[in-house]
Amino acid sequence: AQKVTQAQTEISVVEKEDVTLDCVYETRDTTYYLFWYKQPPSGELVFLIRRNSFDEQNEISGRYSWNFQKSTSSFNFTITASQVVDSAVYFCALRRGLTGTASKLTFGTGTRLQVTL
Amino acid sequence: ETGVTQSPTHLIKTRGQQVTLRCSSQSGHNTVSWYQQALGQGPQFIFQYYREEENGRGNFPPRFSGLQFPNYSSELNVNALELDDSALYLCASNDRGPLNTEAFFGQGTRLTVV
């Protein structure tokens, strides 16, 4: 069974602070994909990153960075120098990597990030 | 902005009625998935269609059904609506070929059952 846990329900920070969103996953598959999506109040899920299970390199994209550690089954997301526009709900998700299977996403419950001035 | 569009954006229905939600996939994507997102929860997988055939289903009763058309657009039908069906319904498309792309989501349809 696939499971994603986002233990932080809500985080509030002041603009320019760094913030890390935690994600822990469970899977018996050796091949899988991990994702982060952002959901602003409009409702649409905005794709941020995809990482496959064989690539443990950390990634940085502007103010965003991701730390993937298979040893702890974690895929954490850090926003550096947060901005008010970063306020949203962030979801971590898991997908099986086997070909021929439905490419469904298993989502965590999300972390609501509130960035204030 | 993704190329996935959903209609309508909002809908109010009465318990027991039937509803049809529509989704237009991003160009070139052959797979469409539907998710239900209750308030304060993460999206839950309903089912997926690949080349017009159902290809995976989540833990939802048969009154949730769907279709995918030759142009890869899709419909989600829900019969005998219940109050608990009130949620944001999200459609996502991806290319399940060699590229196996990530899923791109539409803006969702917010369904309220009264």
Side-chain angles (χ1 to χ4, degrees):
Chain A
Q2 319 269 303
K3 185 178 179 182
V4 175
T5 301
Q6 294 180 256
Q8 304 152 309
T9 306
E10 193 161 342
I11 300 176
S12 291
V13 298
V14 177
E15 200 175 43
K16 297 183 184 175
E17 284 186 14
D18 299 347
V19 59
T20 295
L21 310 182
D22 297 334
C23 172
V24 174
Y25 63 92
E26 295 176 31
T27 180
R28 293 180 181 174
D29 294 340
T30 55
T31 304
Y32 52 89
Y33 295 92
L34 293 163
F35 301 79
W36 277 95
Y37 283 86
K38 174 182 179 180
Q39 188 175 44
S42 60
E44 180 177 341
L45 283 168
V46 179
F47 167 78
L48 296 178
I49 189 171
R50 176 177 86 167
R51 174 64 80 221
N52 75 53
S53 52
F54 296 108
D55 182 3
E56 286 194 72
Q57 276 195 334
N58 292 331
E59 182 157 338
I60 298 174
S61 176
R63 297 184 296 108
Y64 295 171
S65 63
W66 291 269
N67 184 306
F68 175 30
Q69 292 197 343
K70 285 179 77 170
S71 60
T72 55
S73 297
S74 64
F75 186 43
N76 296 337
F77 173 29
T78 297
I79 302 175
T80 302
S82 60
Q83 299 176 2
V84 172
V85 293
D86 296 327
S87 297
V89 181
Y90 290 85
F91 290 96
C92 180
L94 172 66
R95 190 182 87 192
R96 305 187 73 183
L98 295 172
T99 56
T101 61
S103 50
K104 76 168 193 174
L105 292 165
T106 299
F107 286 87
T109 50
T111 297
R112 179 177 298 278
L113 174 64
Q114 186 76 28
V115 182
T116 56
L117 293 171
Chain B
E1 186 179 305
T2 72
V4 181
T5 57
Q6 293 185 241
S7 62
T9 54
H10 294 82
L11 201 52
I12 299 175
K13 288 286 190 178
T14 303
R15 190 171 50 182
Q17 284 188 315
Q18 178 266 343
V19 69
T20 297
L21 310 182
R22 294 180 175 81
C23 172
S24 176
S25 303
Q26 182 160 314
S27 177
H29 285 182
N30 52 26
T31 302
V32 65
S33 305
W34 286 91
Y35 292 81
Q36 181 195 66
Q37 186 180 14
L39 203 60
Q41 300 296 316
Q44 298 292 314
F45 176 73
I46 303 174
F47 45 56
Q48 181 177 94
Y49 279 82
Y50 171 61
R51 293 186 174 175
E52 302 177 57
E53 293 203 358
E54 187 178 292
N55 176 245
R57 188 178 183 92
N59 189 24
F60 282 82
R63 59 189 186 83
F64 285 78
S65 63
L67 283 173
Q68 187 182 31
F69 300 100
N71 66 355
Y72 300 137
S73 65
S74 176
E75 287 182 355
L76 164 65
N77 298 289
V78 187
N79 292 322
L81 283 167
E82 300 177 359
L83 297 179
D84 284 349
D85 295 333
S86 295
L88 179 68
Y89 288 84
L90 293 162
C91 168
S93 74
N94 67 289
D95 181 354
R96 202 186 127 198
L99 293 178
N100 199 12
T101 63
E102 53 272 11
F104 291 93
F105 285 80
Q107 81 282 10
T109 293
R110 188 165 296 282
L111 172 65
T112 302
V113 182
V114 298

